[in-house]
Amino acid sequence: MDHPVAPAAGQSRLAFLLQRIGHWLAETINHAWGNPGEEALHRPPSIGVQPYSDERRRRRRRL
């Protein structure tokens, strides 16, 4: 198994360095701006009266 920081075979050191810097920059921007899909999972529930949104599980019986 290759070392995670070592360049791949046939890859120049400069290309490897630019790839690592690009990866670091992408991670930094993602961390700074956040991921809206991920943040929605950690949002607390809404406070106050909420509209009814549940569906009935059974039909009403007709008499």
Side-chain angles (χ1 to χ4, degrees):
M1 191 159 129
D2 294 332
H3 193 277
V5 188
Q11 186 179 20
S12 72
R13 180 134 175 90
L14 179 61
F16 174 71
L17 183 61
L18 289 174
Q19 182 182 12
R20 295 280 296 164
I21 289 173
H23 179 72
W24 172 81
L25 185 62
E27 288 288 323
T28 303
I29 290 172
N30 189 27
H31 181 73
W33 287 345
N35 182 351
E38 209 173 81
E39 290 177 13
L41 297 174
H42 303 291
R43 189 172 298 141
S46 300
I47 297 175
V49 178
Q50 301 296 317
Y52 180 76
S53 62
D54 198 15
E55 294 179 21
R56 291 185 178 182
R57 302 206 188 267
R58 291 187 283 170
R59 278 186 1 190
R60 268 190 174 164
R61 286 181 59 178
R62 290 187 151 187
L63 295 175

